[in-house]
Amino acid sequence: MNKLLLILLFCYYLNAVDKKINVENGTVYFLKTEKIVDGRVEIGKKSIAFIPYNDSEMLAIIPFDYKSSLGEVCAKVFSGAKELETLVFNVKKGKYKEENLTVSSKHVTLPSKELRKRTSKEYADAYKIYNKVTKKNYLKKKFALPMSTKTTSEYGNARVFNGKIARYHSGVDFRAKVGSIVKVVNDGKVVLVDNRYYAGGSVIVDHGYGVYSCYFHLSGFDVSVGDVVRRGEIIARSGKSGRVTGPHLHLSFKVHGVSVSPLHFMDKFNNLVLN
Ligand SMILES: [Zn+2]
């Protein structure tokens, strides 16, 4: 019997399951609780702390990977060593589209050793950031979009490059000419400003407690690493750098190292806060 199934069986037979919750892959679930000391949710290998978000309640932001196995997963709510609640999440497949893309051949031919070294370092450096949980919560306001243009490619679209390499779109694209103003979606701290091979000109903003917003394919930067930014502040200019077919802004969200739908995250979060 596989390990996950065993854990799930323990979840059902050794504990009364307090709540069953339906979620979709590639989204987050905002779990609320009244104020508790050292509150956290343990799910899989992750331990997710509750954030104080108003006078009486706390919030845990639980991500479900796009590639997470579908079906039931067990989660436990703790206050210190005391177990408070057992939850079962039922992960269902979100309604995501499939699209075919043609990309310049220089990005598809087998990359050189030097290039592989560069891209794997960039990947490792980015995940070092995404997996870091800053114990400061900047999320006190509603989110605002980085620009007001139409979206041209949604999060979760399955992508087929030149009929070969299959992957999924880990963010949402906004229509934007080179040089358009890019605004930060909420308060936070700038943790990366760099030119990278695939993402091109990149800015990453830490919103605290494991939540990051990322802005890619930029042509210019208005901030530096370490800057504390406020929602709506101009952080960059959009562009067409990195692996792209044309100019646009790619916005992605990482929550505890997991890519989730930015628009779903912002919409759900905005229903929870007043400002
Ligand atoms: Zn994109």
Side-chain angles (χ1 to χ4, degrees):
M1 196 181 297
N2 83 31
K3 212 172 153 192
L4 268 176
L5 191 60
L6 262 178
I7 293 169
L8 196 63
L9 284 176
F10 276 122
C11 197
Y12 272 106
Y13 296 113
L14 297 184
N15 309 276
V17 171
D18 298 295
K19 218 186 280 171
K20 256 182 108 164
I21 301 162
N22 287 326
V23 290
E24 288 183 353
N25 68 321
T27 69
V28 289
Y29 186 77
F30 293 97
L31 182 67
K32 286 200 278 186
T33 179
E34 58 196 22
K35 280 204 166 166
I36 51 175
V37 179
D38 187 23
R40 67 192 188 281
V41 180
E42 298 204 341
I43 179 166
K45 287 177 186 160
K46 291 194 189 303
S47 177
I48 297 166
F50 280 94
I51 314 166
Y53 94 103
N54 66 24
D55 291 341
S56 58
E57 290 173 311
M58 302 182 90
L59 193 67
I61 308 176
I62 307 168
F64 294 89
D65 201 298
Y66 186 86
K67 290 177 176 166
S68 55
S69 32
L70 304 176
E72 295 185 334
V73 56
C74 185
K76 286 173 185 292
V77 180
F78 287 89
S79 170
K82 193 177 168 213
E83 196 181 310
L84 301 180
E85 209 177 12
T86 299
L87 310 171
V88 169
F89 287 97
N90 186 19
V91 185
K92 297 184 171 188
K93 193 169 164 34
K95 293 171 196 74
Y96 300 118
K97 276 196 301 192
E98 245 188 37
E99 62 183 348
N100 287 289
L101 291 180
T102 310
V103 175
S104 151
S105 61
K106 72 171 177 174
H107 289 296
V108 175
T109 47
L110 196 66
S112 65
K113 201 177 163 190
E114 203 178 314
L115 182 57
R116 283 204 306 272
K117 210 173 143 190
R118 176 184 169 184
T119 55
S120 53
K121 187 186 182 302
E122 287 173 351
Y123 182 86
D125 288 349
Y127 270 86
K128 210 184 272 174
I129 290 173
Y130 300 146
N131 286 319
K132 196 175 163 202
V133 179
T134 309
K135 295 273 182 217
K136 180 168 169 60
N137 180 23
Y138 293 94
L139 298 179
K140 305 237 160 69
K141 304 171 184 167
K142 287 184 192 291
F143 280 84
L145 294 174
M147 51 175 60
S148 55
T149 56
K150 272 171 60 172
T151 58
T152 52
S153 176
E154 304 305 320
Y155 169 90
N157 289 351
R159 286 184 156 185
V160 183
F161 286 105
N162 299 347
K164 277 187 257 167
I165 312 157
R167 58 204 301 262
Y168 78 96
H169 191 211
S170 61
V172 57
D173 292 345
F174 291 84
R175 176 167 293 156
K177 288 182 192 147
V178 173
S180 304
I181 280 169
V182 177
K183 295 174 178 176
V184 67
V185 292
N186 213 328
D187 294 2
K189 190 176 187 176
V190 177
V191 288
L192 180 139
V193 176
D194 201 3
N195 283 297
R196 300 184 298 159
Y197 182 75
Y198 289 117
S202 310
V203 171
I204 300 176
V205 176
D206 182 3
H207 300 289
Y209 286 98
V211 179
Y212 295 86
S213 63
C214 318
Y215 311 78
F216 293 166
H217 311 308
L218 304 169
S219 62
F221 307 121
D222 292 83
V223 288
S224 310
V225 169
D227 287 356
V228 172
V229 286
R230 287 174 174 269
R231 179 185 67 186
E233 210 173 302
I234 298 168
I235 52 168
R237 312 291 156 155
S238 64
K240 54 174 183 176
S241 54
R243 184 168 75 170
V244 286
T245 51
H248 68 272
L249 170 69
H250 172 100
L251 170 72
S252 53
F253 269 44
K254 289 283 191 296
V255 177
H256 296 281
V258 174
S259 269
V260 297
S261 164
L263 297 184
H264 175 274
F265 186 108
M266 291 194 272
D267 184 49
K268 295 287 173 191
F269 186 85
N270 288 357
N271 287 326
L272 295 171
V273 292
L274 296 171
N275 301 308

